[in-house]
Amino acid sequence: MKAYGEVFTPRHMVDRMLDLVAEELETGEGFVDKTFLEPAAGDGNFLVAILQRKLRAIEQRIEPALWPRESLFALASIYGIELLEDNYADAKIAMLTEFLDFHRGHGTPCSTRTNLHRAAAFLIDTNIVSGNALTGLDSGGDEIEFSWWSRVPAVPGGVLREPFTFRSLREEAMFDFGVHAAYAVCPIDRVHEEVRAQ
């Protein structure tokens, strides 16, 4: 769309760019949790390529019993902002489709009734935002808000959700965690239940 200067990066260029950060995506320590933000997500071509690489690395480096859990942590590490509503919707669908196809390909139950599906859809809805990265505002005119998903070492598969504004990341170079709703630690496959801290 010319009015917005919309340009889609070809897949071969996406792959070449991601090759530059292959260690963070696929081979380095803690690769599952390495965070990526695409501030002009388009229809999700970068987001999906990042997820594909992380899932492939999980498949190669982590025992199969942990793939559902680790794939959710991989999803939790990928963020996007997109201005145009049609692209925003396409990006979210593409991410969920990629995630579910991975699990279907391995025979893991992931129907809409499973926690795996529900948690994945929730993480995608939370991490991919309709808004403008230049103004820092979402499609409703409010500040873009993301959540940081921290592993809880004492709770295998446990995650702590800590909301923060995109503005705090851009302008203050630190997260403004303390001014937002607090959530209880929960298993990552139950993040969709949104249990608030007491």
Side-chain angles (χ1 to χ4, degrees):
M1 186 178 289
K2 288 185 178 179
Y4 294 99
E6 187 176 28
V7 177
F8 293 100
T9 309
R11 179 59 191 248
H12 72 276
M13 289 183 68
V14 170
D15 288 335
R16 289 182 67 183
M17 292 170 75
L18 294 181
D19 286 344
L20 299 173
V21 292
E23 182 176 348
E24 287 81 1
L25 269 174
E26 302 163 78
T27 61
E29 186 174 339
F31 73 93
V32 172
D33 300 312
K34 296 291 182 178
T35 305
F36 292 83
L37 167 65
E38 171 54 86
D43 61 1
N45 59 348
F46 269 98
L47 301 176
V48 168
I50 290 166
L51 179 60
Q52 286 173 337
R53 287 184 180 224
K54 285 197 175 210
L55 292 176
R56 187 170 57 237
I58 286 169
E59 188 177 33
Q60 293 170 354
R61 302 182 59 206
I62 295 175
E63 63 182 274
L66 299 178
W67 290 354
R69 180 181 88 187
E70 294 305 305
S71 64
L72 287 171
F73 276 109
L75 265 186
S77 73
I78 303 169
Y79 299 83
I81 302 170
E82 175 50 35
L83 179 63
L84 302 179
E85 284 295 325
D86 57 340
N87 287 342
Y88 166 67
D90 289 345
K92 293 200 308 177
I93 290 168
M95 286 290 282
L96 186 58
T97 299
E98 187 65 36
F99 181 88
L100 296 175
D101 284 351
F102 172 80
H103 287 291
R104 288 185 187 119
H106 292 292
T108 306
C110 57
S111 74
T112 56
R113 295 179 305 232
T114 63
N115 282 332
L116 182 62
H117 188 291
R118 291 174 180 159
F122 181 82
L123 288 167
I124 291 166
D125 284 344
T126 305
N127 282 15
I128 302 176
V129 176
S130 174
N132 186 329
L134 296 177
T135 65
L137 301 178
D138 66 19
S139 57
D142 297 318
E143 285 196 56
I144 290 173
E145 187 176 292
F146 286 120
S147 289
W148 188 257
W149 308 94
S150 302
R151 286 186 193 254
V152 180
V155 182
V159 68
L160 175 63
R161 177 184 182 185
E162 299 176 277
F164 65 94
T165 61
F166 180 56
R167 176 189 49 76
S168 74
L169 179 62
R170 289 189 331 168
E171 297 175 5
E172 300 164 20
M174 59 190 316
F175 300 109
D176 57 356
F177 292 137
V179 299
H180 302 282
Y183 292 86
V185 172
C186 71
I188 195 160
D189 66 351
R190 293 189 175 270
V191 291
H192 54 285
E193 295 175 0
E194 287 196 294
V195 178
R196 299 290 177 109
Q198 299 296 323

